[in-house]
Amino acid sequence: MSEDSLPTDRHPTLRVVPMPSDTNSAGDIFGGWIMAQADIAGSVVASRRARGRIVTVAVNAFQFRKPVFVNDLVSFYAEVVRVGRSSITVDVVVYAERARHKGEWAGECVKVTEATLTYVAIDDQRLPREVPPEHN
Ligand SMILES: CC(C)(COP(=O)(O)OP(=O)(O)OC[C@H]1O[C@@H](n2cnc3c(N)ncnc32)[C@H](O)[C@@H]1OP(=O)(O)O)[C@@H](O)C(=O)NCCC(=O)NCCS
């Protein structure tokens, strides 16, 4: 499978189409928008694994490989890669399906971003709590 193809063995955690309001001054999608969506996608799988409240403690790595444009269909694939006592580390891979050019669907798919984020399971006092054992 090409690195620039959508994974066929899993579903995206999040799919979003960025709007003109998400662009930077050059007209491309603002990196901070992609970071926010990646954080949301990572938090979806982390809070499921933690079975409760979590917070983002660190962005360990974030690489913007290719630009994202208005109207691209952007898919975020998040996967838990490490579970510690209270922490959960998640890899997020992001693909953009290029949108319409001159009214036609371009159909091109590119891997645009790779990121690793760490979340911490917290209790009602906002203190770290143990991640519970995984459900079978
Ligand atoms: C997350 C938070 C509760 C951790 O509290 P803490 O007292 O530092 O807790 P600890 O030192 O016990 O660390 C908790 C876990 O986080 C991990 N951790 C802490 N800093 C980390 C970092 N920079 N990178 C990766 N993991 C980190 C620790 O290794 C530990 O993991 P483990 O329990 O699996 O061994 C606290 O730092 C916090 O509330 N931060 C703000 C979170 C927030 O508001 N996020 C939104 C962004 S503004």
Side-chain angles (χ1 to χ4, degrees):
M1 189 179 70
S2 151
E3 212 187 44
D4 284 328
S5 310
L6 291 178
T8 51
D9 56 345
R10 56 203 179 115
H11 295 293
T13 312
L14 188 69
R15 267 191 168 147
V16 195
V17 177
M19 299 289 154
S21 57
D22 303 315
T23 56
N24 59 26
S25 54
D28 295 344
I29 295 305
F30 174 48
W33 179 87
I34 300 167
M35 295 181 89
Q37 308 305 313
D39 188 20
I40 292 168
S43 75
V44 169
V45 296
S47 61
R48 259 198 203 137
R49 181 62 187 81
R51 277 187 264 143
R53 191 168 172 188
I54 51 148
V55 285
T56 313
V57 72
V59 176
N60 311 107
F62 217 102
Q63 190 190 357
F64 299 103
R65 294 161 46 101
K66 302 267 174 67
V68 174
F69 305 117
V70 170
N71 266 345
D72 285 356
L73 175 57
V74 189
S75 299
F76 295 76
Y77 290 78
E79 180 187 15
V80 172
V81 292
R82 183 181 172 277
V83 177
R85 197 193 82 83
S86 68
S87 66
I88 298 170
T89 299
V90 177
D91 277 354
V92 181
V93 184
V94 188
Y95 296 85
E97 289 170 81
R98 299 298 187 206
R100 295 160 201 87
H101 295 299
K102 295 177 186 154
E104 285 177 27
W105 185 258
E108 185 196 3
C109 178
V110 286
K111 186 193 272 190
V112 290
T113 296
E114 287 171 306
T116 304
L117 303 95
T118 300
Y119 301 84
V120 174
I122 56 164
D123 63 19
D124 291 344
Q125 275 72 53
R126 296 176 171 266
L127 295 172
R129 67 179 165 88
E130 250 180 74
V131 176
E134 197 163 16
H135 272 315
N136 288 321

